[in-house]
Amino acid sequence: MTAFDLVIRNGTVATAGDVGAADVGVRDGRVVALGEGLARGAKEIDARGRLVLPGGVDSHCHIEQKSSGGLMTADDFHSGTLSAACGATTTVIPFACQHRGQSLRAVVEDYHRLAAEKAVIDYAFHLIVSDPTPQVLGQELPSLIRDGYTSFKIYMTYDVLKLDDRQVLDILGVAKTEGAIVMIHAENNDVIAWLSERLLAAGKIAPKYHAQAHVAPAEREATHRAITLAEVVDVPILIVHVSGAEAIEQIRWAQGKGLKIFAETCPQYLFLTAADMDKPGLEGAKFMCSPPPRDAANQEHVWRGLTTGVFHVFSSDHAPYRYDGTGKLAKGEGTTFKNVANGVPGLELRLPLLFSEGFGRGRFDLSRFVALAATNAAKLYGLYPRKGTIAVGADADIAIWDPERRVNVTAAMLHDNVGYTPYEGRALTGWPVTVLSRGEIVVDEGRVSAARGRGKYQTCGVPGPLAKAFA
Ligand code: DUC
Ligand code: ZN
Ligand code: ZN
Protein backbone atom coordinates (compact mmCIF):
# COMPACT_ATOMS: atom_id res chain seq x y z
CA MET A 1 0.00 0.00 0.00
CA THR A 2 1.28 3.48 -0.83
CA ALA A 3 1.28 6.28 1.70
CA PHE A 4 -0.34 8.72 -0.69
CA ASP A 5 -3.04 8.67 -3.32
CA LEU A 6 -1.07 11.32 -5.15
CA VAL A 7 2.27 13.08 -4.87
CA ILE A 8 2.96 16.34 -6.68
CA ARG A 9 6.72 16.23 -6.93
CA ASN A 10 9.56 18.70 -7.63
CA GLY A 11 7.44 21.84 -7.84
CA THR A 12 7.74 25.23 -6.17
CA VAL A 13 4.98 25.47 -3.61
CA ALA A 14 3.70 28.90 -2.66
CA THR A 15 1.29 30.03 0.02
CA ALA A 16 0.39 33.52 1.15
CA GLY A 17 3.30 33.27 3.58
CA ASP A 18 6.06 31.22 1.96
CA VAL A 19 7.55 30.05 -1.31
CA GLY A 20 9.80 26.99 -1.51
CA ALA A 21 10.59 23.65 -3.09
CA ALA A 22 8.42 20.85 -1.74
CA ASP A 23 6.55 17.72 -2.69
CA VAL A 24 2.88 17.62 -1.78
CA GLY A 25 1.38 14.35 -0.54
CA VAL A 26 -2.38 13.91 -0.90
CA ARG A 27 -4.61 11.29 0.68
CA ASP A 28 -8.41 11.13 0.79
CA GLY A 29 -8.69 14.51 -0.89
CA ARG A 30 -6.52 16.34 1.61
CA VAL A 31 -2.94 17.45 1.85
CA VAL A 32 -1.28 15.10 4.35
CA ALA A 33 2.43 15.85 3.85
CA LEU A 34 4.70 18.60 2.59
CA GLY A 35 8.41 18.03 2.30
CA GLU A 36 11.34 16.84 0.25
CA GLY A 37 11.59 13.32 -1.10
CA LEU A 38 8.14 12.05 -0.11
CA ALA A 39 7.48 8.33 -0.64
CA ARG A 40 5.86 7.30 -3.90
CA GLY A 41 2.17 7.87 -4.35
CA ALA A 42 -0.33 5.72 -6.23
CA LYS A 43 -0.29 8.55 -8.72
CA GLU A 44 2.52 11.03 -9.35
CA ILE A 45 2.61 14.44 -11.01
CA ASP A 46 5.98 15.86 -11.97
CA ALA A 47 5.76 19.61 -11.36
CA ARG A 48 9.41 20.43 -12.16
CA GLY A 49 9.61 24.02 -13.41
CA ARG A 50 6.05 24.63 -12.30
CA LEU A 51 4.38 26.53 -9.49
CA VAL A 52 2.13 24.61 -7.14
CA LEU A 53 -0.41 27.07 -5.78
CA PRO A 54 -3.64 26.89 -3.80
CA GLY A 55 -6.70 26.72 -6.05
CA GLY A 56 -8.36 30.09 -6.27
CA VAL A 57 -11.33 31.24 -4.26
CA ASP A 58 -13.58 33.54 -6.28
CA SER A 59 -15.68 35.26 -3.66
CA HIS A 60 -17.89 37.36 -5.89
CA CYS A 61 -19.67 35.81 -8.86
CA HIS A 62 -23.23 35.64 -10.08
CA ILE A 63 -24.16 32.17 -11.28
CA GLU A 64 -27.61 31.02 -12.38
CA GLN A 65 -28.96 34.23 -10.93
CA LYS A 66 -31.79 36.40 -12.18
CA SER A 67 -30.74 40.02 -12.69
CA SER A 68 -32.66 42.93 -11.24
CA GLY A 69 -34.22 43.25 -14.71
CA GLY A 70 -35.40 39.62 -14.67
CA LEU A 71 -32.74 38.15 -17.02
CA MET A 72 -31.05 34.85 -16.22
CA THR A 73 -27.24 34.81 -16.31
CA ALA A 74 -25.70 32.92 -19.23
CA ASP A 75 -23.88 30.51 -16.94
CA ASP A 76 -25.53 27.93 -14.77
CA PHE A 77 -23.74 26.07 -12.00
CA HIS A 78 -22.28 23.64 -14.51
CA SER A 79 -20.77 25.99 -17.08
CA GLY A 80 -19.86 28.56 -14.44
CA THR A 81 -17.96 26.21 -12.18
CA LEU A 82 -16.33 24.39 -15.12
CA SER A 83 -15.11 27.69 -16.45
CA ALA A 84 -13.82 28.65 -13.01
CA ALA A 85 -11.90 25.37 -12.70
CA CYS A 86 -10.26 25.88 -16.08
CA GLY A 87 -8.95 29.20 -14.78
CA ALA A 88 -7.45 27.72 -11.57
CA THR A 89 -10.35 28.55 -9.27
CA THR A 90 -11.47 25.64 -7.08
CA THR A 91 -14.01 27.34 -4.82
CA VAL A 92 -16.66 29.85 -5.77
CA ILE A 93 -18.89 31.92 -3.53
CA PRO A 94 -21.82 33.03 -5.66
CA PHE A 95 -24.98 34.64 -4.34
CA ALA A 96 -28.35 33.35 -3.28
CA CYS A 97 -30.23 36.44 -4.36
CA GLN A 98 -33.43 37.54 -2.70
CA HIS A 99 -35.75 39.58 -4.88
CA ARG A 100 -38.42 41.61 -3.14
CA GLY A 101 -41.26 39.61 -1.71
CA GLN A 102 -39.23 36.40 -1.50
CA SER A 103 -38.39 34.46 1.63
CA LEU A 104 -34.63 34.37 2.12
CA ARG A 105 -34.75 30.80 3.37
CA ALA A 106 -36.68 29.66 0.29
CA VAL A 107 -34.19 31.47 -1.97
CA VAL A 108 -31.28 29.69 -0.32
CA GLU A 109 -32.97 26.32 -0.78
CA ASP A 110 -33.54 27.05 -4.49
CA TYR A 111 -29.87 27.89 -5.10
CA HIS A 112 -28.78 24.78 -3.22
CA ARG A 113 -30.91 22.65 -5.50
CA LEU A 114 -29.40 24.19 -8.61
CA ALA A 115 -25.81 24.00 -7.42
CA ALA A 116 -25.90 20.50 -5.92
CA GLU A 117 -26.92 18.99 -9.22
CA LYS A 118 -24.42 20.84 -11.43
CA ALA A 119 -21.37 22.29 -9.66
CA VAL A 120 -18.05 20.66 -10.54
CA ILE A 121 -16.03 22.45 -7.84
CA ASP A 122 -16.82 23.37 -4.26
CA TYR A 123 -19.02 26.31 -3.43
CA ALA A 124 -20.42 28.36 -0.59
CA PHE A 125 -23.07 31.07 -0.75
CA HIS A 126 -23.35 34.71 0.15
CA LEU A 127 -26.87 36.06 0.46
CA ILE A 128 -28.21 39.14 -1.32
CA VAL A 129 -30.74 40.92 0.86
CA SER A 130 -33.07 43.26 -1.02
CA ASP A 131 -36.15 43.08 1.19
CA PRO A 132 -35.26 43.53 4.86
CA THR A 133 -38.73 43.03 6.29
CA PRO A 134 -39.17 42.57 10.06
CA GLN A 135 -39.45 38.82 9.38
CA VAL A 136 -36.16 38.81 7.45
CA LEU A 137 -34.32 40.98 9.97
CA GLY A 138 -35.74 39.34 13.06
CA GLN A 139 -35.87 35.70 12.08
CA GLU A 140 -34.68 34.57 8.67
CA LEU A 141 -31.35 36.38 8.60
CA PRO A 142 -30.29 35.50 12.16
CA SER A 143 -31.17 31.85 11.63
CA LEU A 144 -29.36 31.71 8.26
CA ILE A 145 -26.26 33.31 9.80
CA ARG A 146 -26.31 30.67 12.52
CA ASP A 147 -26.53 28.04 9.79
CA GLY A 148 -23.30 29.33 8.20
CA TYR A 149 -24.45 31.98 5.71
CA THR A 150 -22.20 34.53 7.33
CA SER A 151 -21.86 37.09 4.54
CA PHE A 152 -24.37 39.03 2.55
CA LYS A 153 -24.41 41.68 -0.13
CA ILE A 154 -26.60 44.74 -0.11
CA TYR A 155 -27.05 47.42 -2.74
CA MET A 156 -27.17 51.20 -2.44
CA THR A 157 -28.28 51.41 -6.08
CA TYR A 158 -30.52 49.57 -8.61
CA ASP A 159 -34.15 50.55 -8.06
CA VAL A 160 -35.38 47.04 -7.26
CA LEU A 161 -32.49 46.05 -5.00
CA LYS A 162 -31.43 49.23 -3.25
CA LEU A 163 -31.75 49.82 0.46
CA ASP A 164 -32.01 53.27 2.00
CA ASP A 165 -29.65 54.34 4.76
CA ARG A 166 -32.08 53.34 7.49
CA GLN A 167 -32.36 49.85 6.01
CA VAL A 168 -28.58 49.62 5.66
CA LEU A 169 -28.28 50.44 9.37
CA ASP A 170 -30.82 47.73 10.20
CA ILE A 171 -28.85 45.17 8.21
CA LEU A 172 -25.54 46.23 9.74
CA GLY A 173 -27.15 45.92 13.15
CA VAL A 174 -28.10 42.29 12.49
CA ALA A 175 -24.58 41.58 11.16
CA LYS A 176 -23.11 42.98 14.37
CA THR A 177 -25.40 41.07 16.68
CA GLU A 178 -25.18 37.76 14.85
CA GLY A 179 -21.56 37.87 13.62
CA ALA A 180 -21.71 38.35 9.85
CA ILE A 181 -19.95 40.52 7.29
CA VAL A 182 -21.85 42.78 4.92
CA MET A 183 -20.64 43.38 1.38
CA ILE A 184 -21.80 46.71 0.03
CA HIS A 185 -22.35 47.82 -3.57
CA ALA A 186 -21.67 51.51 -3.10
CA GLU A 187 -23.05 53.88 -5.71
CA ASN A 188 -25.40 56.82 -5.17
CA ASN A 189 -28.68 55.81 -6.80
CA ASP A 190 -30.15 59.30 -7.12
CA VAL A 191 -27.06 60.72 -8.79
CA ILE A 192 -27.10 57.88 -11.33
CA ALA A 193 -30.85 58.25 -11.97
CA TRP A 194 -30.61 62.03 -12.34
CA LEU A 195 -27.70 61.85 -14.77
CA SER A 196 -29.28 58.97 -16.70
CA GLU A 197 -32.51 60.88 -17.23
CA ARG A 198 -30.65 63.83 -18.68
CA LEU A 199 -28.50 61.71 -20.94
CA LEU A 200 -31.52 59.80 -22.29
CA ALA A 201 -33.50 63.02 -22.78
CA ALA A 202 -30.62 64.33 -24.88
CA GLY A 203 -30.72 61.21 -27.03
CA LYS A 204 -27.48 59.90 -25.54
CA ILE A 205 -28.43 56.25 -25.37
CA ALA A 206 -25.29 54.36 -26.49
CA PRO A 207 -23.39 52.06 -24.09
CA LYS A 208 -20.62 54.62 -23.60
CA TYR A 209 -23.04 56.88 -21.69
CA HIS A 210 -23.23 54.26 -18.95
CA ALA A 211 -19.90 55.60 -17.69
CA GLN A 212 -21.22 59.17 -17.78
CA ALA A 213 -24.19 58.17 -15.62
CA HIS A 214 -22.22 56.05 -13.12
CA VAL A 215 -19.66 58.77 -12.40
CA ALA A 216 -16.84 58.29 -9.90
CA PRO A 217 -18.21 60.86 -7.40
CA ALA A 218 -21.40 58.77 -7.13
CA GLU A 219 -19.25 55.82 -6.11
CA ARG A 220 -17.09 57.96 -3.82
CA GLU A 221 -20.05 59.44 -1.98
CA ALA A 222 -21.75 56.10 -1.43
CA THR A 223 -18.47 54.52 -0.32
CA HIS A 224 -18.03 57.27 2.27
CA ARG A 225 -21.64 56.85 3.39
CA ALA A 226 -21.28 53.08 3.72
CA ILE A 227 -18.15 53.58 5.81
CA THR A 228 -19.95 56.11 8.00
CA LEU A 229 -22.90 53.80 8.58
CA ALA A 230 -20.54 50.94 9.47
CA GLU A 231 -18.67 53.23 11.86
CA VAL A 232 -21.92 54.22 13.56
CA VAL A 233 -22.90 50.57 14.06
CA ASP A 234 -19.29 49.58 14.80
CA VAL A 235 -19.17 46.60 12.47
CA PRO A 236 -16.72 45.54 9.72
CA ILE A 237 -17.89 45.81 6.11
CA LEU A 238 -16.44 45.04 2.72
CA ILE A 239 -16.83 47.47 -0.18
CA VAL A 240 -17.19 45.36 -3.33
CA HIS A 241 -15.91 46.02 -6.86
CA VAL A 242 -14.06 49.27 -6.24
CA SER A 243 -13.33 50.94 -9.57
CA GLY A 244 -10.76 53.64 -8.95
CA ALA A 245 -9.01 56.44 -7.12
CA GLU A 246 -11.99 58.29 -5.66
CA ALA A 247 -13.42 55.34 -3.75
CA ILE A 248 -9.94 54.09 -2.84
CA GLU A 249 -9.21 57.43 -1.19
CA GLN A 250 -12.24 56.99 1.08
CA ILE A 251 -11.28 53.43 1.96
CA ARG A 252 -7.69 54.38 2.75
CA TRP A 253 -8.91 57.22 4.91
CA ALA A 254 -11.19 54.89 6.84
CA GLN A 255 -8.52 52.22 7.20
CA GLY A 256 -6.13 54.93 8.43
CA LYS A 257 -8.64 55.82 11.15
CA GLY A 258 -8.55 52.19 12.26
CA LEU A 259 -12.01 51.28 10.99
CA LYS A 260 -12.45 47.69 9.82
CA ILE A 261 -13.15 48.48 6.20
CA PHE A 262 -12.29 45.73 3.74
CA ALA A 263 -12.26 46.16 0.00
CA GLU A 264 -12.47 44.17 -3.19
CA THR A 265 -11.58 44.93 -6.76
CA CYS A 266 -11.94 42.98 -10.00
CA PRO A 267 -10.14 42.43 -13.33
CA GLN A 268 -12.38 44.87 -15.19
CA TYR A 269 -10.91 47.76 -13.19
CA LEU A 270 -7.35 46.76 -14.08
CA PHE A 271 -7.77 45.83 -17.74
CA LEU A 272 -10.76 47.74 -19.15
CA THR A 273 -11.55 51.43 -19.44
CA ALA A 274 -14.66 53.47 -20.21
CA ALA A 275 -13.34 53.82 -23.76
CA ASP A 276 -14.10 50.12 -24.30
CA MET A 277 -17.79 50.97 -24.13
CA ASP A 278 -17.33 53.43 -27.01
CA LYS A 279 -17.66 50.95 -29.86
CA PRO A 280 -19.86 50.96 -32.96
CA GLY A 281 -23.50 50.08 -32.42
CA LEU A 282 -24.12 48.20 -29.20
CA GLU A 283 -20.75 46.41 -29.07
CA GLY A 284 -19.79 48.53 -26.07
CA ALA A 285 -22.46 46.67 -24.07
CA LYS A 286 -20.01 43.77 -23.75
CA PHE A 287 -17.92 45.93 -21.42
CA MET A 288 -20.73 47.37 -19.32
CA CYS A 289 -20.70 46.72 -15.62
CA SER A 290 -21.37 48.74 -12.50
CA PRO A 291 -19.43 50.58 -11.36
CA PRO A 292 -17.98 51.04 -14.84
CA PRO A 293 -14.32 50.75 -15.76
CA ARG A 294 -12.74 54.23 -15.58
CA ASP A 295 -9.44 55.24 -17.27
CA ALA A 296 -5.76 54.32 -17.35
CA ALA A 297 -4.88 56.55 -14.38
CA ASN A 298 -7.55 54.85 -12.29
CA GLN A 299 -6.27 51.44 -13.35
CA GLU A 300 -2.90 52.40 -11.87
CA HIS A 301 -4.53 53.42 -8.60
CA VAL A 302 -6.24 50.04 -8.45
CA TRP A 303 -2.95 48.21 -9.10
CA ARG A 304 -1.35 50.23 -6.34
CA GLY A 305 -4.21 49.35 -4.00
CA LEU A 306 -3.57 45.67 -4.67
CA THR A 307 0.12 45.96 -3.90
CA THR A 308 -0.22 48.18 -0.83
CA GLY A 309 -2.96 46.20 0.86
CA VAL A 310 -5.93 48.56 0.50
CA PHE A 311 -7.64 45.66 -1.26
CA HIS A 312 -8.00 42.34 0.48
CA VAL A 313 -9.80 40.37 -2.18
CA PHE A 314 -9.68 40.15 -5.95
CA SER A 315 -12.88 38.68 -7.34
CA SER A 316 -14.34 38.34 -10.82
CA ASP A 317 -17.85 39.76 -10.22
CA HIS A 318 -18.63 37.32 -13.04
CA ALA A 319 -22.07 38.45 -14.24
CA PRO A 320 -22.41 36.81 -17.63
CA TYR A 321 -24.86 37.92 -20.29
CA ARG A 322 -24.61 36.85 -23.90
CA TYR A 323 -24.45 39.44 -26.66
CA ASP A 324 -27.84 38.42 -27.98
CA GLY A 325 -31.54 38.56 -27.17
CA THR A 326 -31.10 36.38 -24.07
CA GLY A 327 -28.71 38.88 -22.53
CA LYS A 328 -27.21 42.22 -23.41
CA LEU A 329 -29.62 42.77 -26.32
CA ALA A 330 -32.82 41.63 -24.62
CA LYS A 331 -34.48 44.96 -25.35
CA GLY A 332 -33.78 44.61 -29.08
CA GLU A 333 -34.06 47.76 -31.19
CA GLY A 334 -34.95 49.87 -28.19
CA THR A 335 -31.77 49.11 -26.25
CA THR A 336 -30.32 52.07 -24.36
CA PHE A 337 -27.42 52.11 -21.90
CA LYS A 338 -30.05 52.10 -19.15
CA ASN A 339 -31.59 48.77 -20.05
CA VAL A 340 -28.52 46.70 -20.89
CA ALA A 341 -27.91 44.02 -18.25
CA ASN A 342 -24.87 45.01 -16.20
CA GLY A 343 -21.95 42.68 -15.89
CA VAL A 344 -18.92 41.12 -17.53
CA PRO A 345 -17.61 37.56 -17.47
CA GLY A 346 -14.41 36.86 -15.56
CA LEU A 347 -14.45 33.53 -13.69
CA GLU A 348 -11.95 31.84 -15.99
CA LEU A 349 -9.56 34.70 -16.68
CA ARG A 350 -9.48 36.35 -13.24
CA LEU A 351 -6.35 34.52 -12.17
CA PRO A 352 -4.48 34.22 -15.50
CA LEU A 353 -4.83 38.01 -15.91
CA LEU A 354 -3.63 38.71 -12.38
CA PHE A 355 -0.79 36.22 -12.65
CA SER A 356 0.51 37.52 -15.97
CA GLU A 357 0.11 41.25 -15.41
CA GLY A 358 0.52 41.40 -11.65
CA PHE A 359 3.03 38.76 -10.58
CA GLY A 360 4.54 38.31 -14.06
CA ARG A 361 5.30 41.98 -14.48
CA GLY A 362 6.78 42.24 -11.01
CA ARG A 363 4.03 44.35 -9.48
CA PHE A 364 3.90 41.95 -6.53
CA ASP A 365 5.44 38.68 -5.42
CA LEU A 366 4.03 35.18 -5.62
CA SER A 367 2.78 35.15 -2.03
CA ARG A 368 0.77 38.29 -2.65
CA PHE A 369 -0.67 36.67 -5.78
CA VAL A 370 -1.74 33.67 -3.71
CA ALA A 371 -3.22 35.91 -1.02
CA LEU A 372 -5.30 37.79 -3.58
CA ALA A 373 -6.19 34.68 -5.56
CA ALA A 374 -7.30 32.50 -2.68
CA THR A 375 -6.15 32.97 0.90
CA ASN A 376 -7.63 36.31 1.79
CA ALA A 377 -11.09 35.45 0.51
CA ALA A 378 -11.01 32.11 2.34
CA LYS A 379 -10.04 33.89 5.57
CA LEU A 380 -12.48 36.73 5.14
CA TYR A 381 -15.47 34.46 4.60
CA GLY A 382 -14.66 31.75 7.11
CA LEU A 383 -13.42 28.97 4.80
CA TYR A 384 -9.77 29.01 5.89
CA PRO A 385 -7.70 26.83 6.33
CA ARG A 386 -9.82 24.13 4.64
CA LYS A 387 -9.70 26.33 1.54
CA GLY A 388 -7.24 28.96 0.34
CA THR A 389 -3.89 27.43 1.25
CA ILE A 390 -1.63 24.40 0.86
CA ALA A 391 -1.08 23.02 4.33
CA VAL A 392 -1.35 19.69 6.09
CA GLY A 393 -5.07 19.12 6.70
CA ALA A 394 -6.29 21.49 3.99
CA ASP A 395 -8.38 20.24 1.09
CA ALA A 396 -6.09 19.36 -1.83
CA ASP A 397 -7.44 22.16 -4.02
CA ILE A 398 -4.35 22.91 -6.05
CA ALA A 399 -3.49 24.64 -9.32
CA ILE A 400 -0.22 23.79 -11.03
CA TRP A 401 0.93 26.73 -13.12
CA ASP A 402 3.39 26.83 -15.98
CA PRO A 403 4.84 30.29 -15.44
CA GLU A 404 6.27 30.44 -18.97
CA ARG A 405 3.23 29.31 -20.96
CA ARG A 406 2.12 31.99 -23.42
CA VAL A 407 -1.55 32.21 -24.22
CA ASN A 408 -3.46 34.53 -26.52
CA VAL A 409 -6.93 34.90 -25.12
CA THR A 410 -9.88 34.09 -27.36
CA ALA A 411 -13.52 33.56 -26.47
CA ALA A 412 -13.37 30.17 -28.21
CA MET A 413 -10.85 28.77 -25.70
CA LEU A 414 -13.02 29.59 -22.69
CA HIS A 415 -15.54 27.29 -21.06
CA ASP A 416 -18.27 29.69 -20.03
CA ASN A 417 -21.49 30.15 -21.96
CA VAL A 418 -21.01 33.81 -22.79
CA GLY A 419 -19.72 33.70 -26.36
CA TYR A 420 -17.33 36.62 -26.03
CA THR A 421 -14.68 37.88 -23.67
CA PRO A 422 -13.84 41.50 -22.91
CA TYR A 423 -10.19 40.36 -22.86
CA GLU A 424 -10.13 39.02 -26.45
CA GLY A 425 -6.64 39.09 -27.98
CA ARG A 426 -4.71 39.71 -24.77
CA ALA A 427 -1.31 38.04 -24.66
CA LEU A 428 -0.74 36.43 -21.26
CA THR A 429 2.27 34.67 -19.81
CA GLY A 430 1.60 31.93 -17.27
CA TRP A 431 -1.26 29.45 -17.29
CA PRO A 432 -2.75 26.83 -14.93
CA VAL A 433 -2.04 23.52 -16.64
CA THR A 434 -3.39 21.12 -14.03
CA VAL A 435 -6.12 21.81 -11.49
CA LEU A 436 -7.11 19.54 -8.61
CA SER A 437 -10.22 19.73 -6.50
CA ARG A 438 -10.05 17.70 -3.27
CA GLY A 439 -7.20 15.71 -4.79
CA GLU A 440 -9.02 14.86 -8.00
CA ILE A 441 -7.61 16.13 -11.30
CA VAL A 442 -10.44 18.15 -12.83
CA VAL A 443 -8.45 19.94 -15.53
CA ASP A 444 -5.27 18.72 -17.18
CA GLU A 445 -3.66 20.39 -20.20
CA GLY A 446 -7.02 21.69 -21.38
CA ARG A 447 -8.84 18.39 -20.83
CA VAL A 448 -11.69 18.73 -18.39
CA SER A 449 -12.76 15.67 -16.43
CA ALA A 450 -15.02 16.93 -13.69
CA ALA A 451 -18.29 15.15 -13.13
CA ARG A 452 -21.38 17.28 -12.97
CA GLY A 453 -22.51 17.59 -9.37
CA ARG A 454 -19.18 16.55 -7.79
CA GLY A 455 -18.80 20.00 -6.17
CA LYS A 456 -19.61 20.11 -2.47
CA TYR A 457 -21.26 22.84 -0.48
CA GLN A 458 -18.94 24.46 2.05
CA THR A 459 -20.43 25.98 5.18
CA CYS A 460 -18.77 29.26 6.09
CA GLY A 461 -17.51 29.79 9.62
CA VAL A 462 -17.02 33.03 11.48
CA PRO A 463 -15.91 35.75 9.05
CA GLY A 464 -12.20 36.53 9.52
CA PRO A 465 -12.64 40.14 10.66
CA LEU A 466 -14.87 38.92 13.47
CA ALA A 467 -12.43 36.22 14.55
CA LYS A 468 -9.84 37.03 17.18
CA ALA A 469 -6.72 36.16 15.21
CA PHE A 470 -7.33 37.64 11.78
CA ALA A 471 -4.25 38.79 9.93
N1 DUC B 1 -22.70 45.02 -11.11
C1 DUC B 1 -23.26 44.44 -10.06
O1 DUC B 1 -23.48 45.06 -9.05
N2 DUC B 1 -23.58 43.15 -10.11
C2 DUC B 1 -23.44 42.36 -11.24
C3 DUC B 1 -22.76 42.98 -12.35
C4 DUC B 1 -22.45 44.39 -12.25
O2 DUC B 1 -21.98 44.99 -13.16
ZN1 ZN C 1 -22.53 44.98 -7.23
ZN1 ZN D 1 -21.74 41.58 -8.35
Side-chain angles (χ1 to χ4, degrees), residues 153 155 185 241:
K153 183 178 177 186
Y155 290 80
H185 179 133
H241 47 51

Side-chain angles (χ1 to χ4, degrees), residues 60 62 153 155 158 185 240-241 290-291 317:
H60 184 158
H62 303 270
K153 183 178 177 186
Y155 290 80
Y158 292 127
H185 179 133
V240 292
H241 47 51
S290 291
D317 195 9

Side-chain angles (χ1 to χ4, degrees), residues 42-57:
K43 187 173 172 54
E44 296 258 328
I45 295 177
D46 185 7
R48 193 177 300 276
R50 304 226 155 134
L51 302 175
V52 180
L53 310 183
V57 177

Side-chain angles (χ1 to χ4, degrees), residues 86 349 352 355 400-403 405 407 413-414 428-433:
C86 291
L349 291 175
F355 185 96
I400 303 175
W401 289 70
D402 178 350
R405 180 83 50 104
V407 171
M413 64 185 264
L414 301 177
L428 301 180
T429 303
W431 195 257
V433 287

Side-chain angles (χ1 to χ4, degrees), residues 1-60:
M1 206 183 92
T2 48
F4 306 112
D5 300 332
L6 168 73
V7 174
I8 304 168
R9 207 173 285 287
N10 303 321
T12 298
V13 177
T15 66
D18 294 296
V19 181
D23 302 337
V24 182
V26 175
R27 195 172 53 230
D28 297 331
R30 293 192 172 199
V31 175
V32 291
L34 281 166
E36 280 181 20
L38 295 187
R40 278 198 76 73
K43 187 173 172 54
E44 296 258 328
I45 295 177
D46 185 7
R48 193 177 300 276
R50 304 226 155 134
L51 302 175
V52 180
L53 310 183
V57 177
D58 192 335
S59 58
H60 184 158

Side-chain angles (χ1 to χ4, degrees), residues 219-240:
E219 185 185 0
R220 181 193 66 211
E221 185 280 328
T223 301
H224 184 88
R225 189 155 34 101
I227 289 166
T228 304
L229 300 177
E231 182 182 11
V232 167
V233 178
D234 185 25
V235 67
I237 55 166
L238 177 122
I239 307 287
V240 292

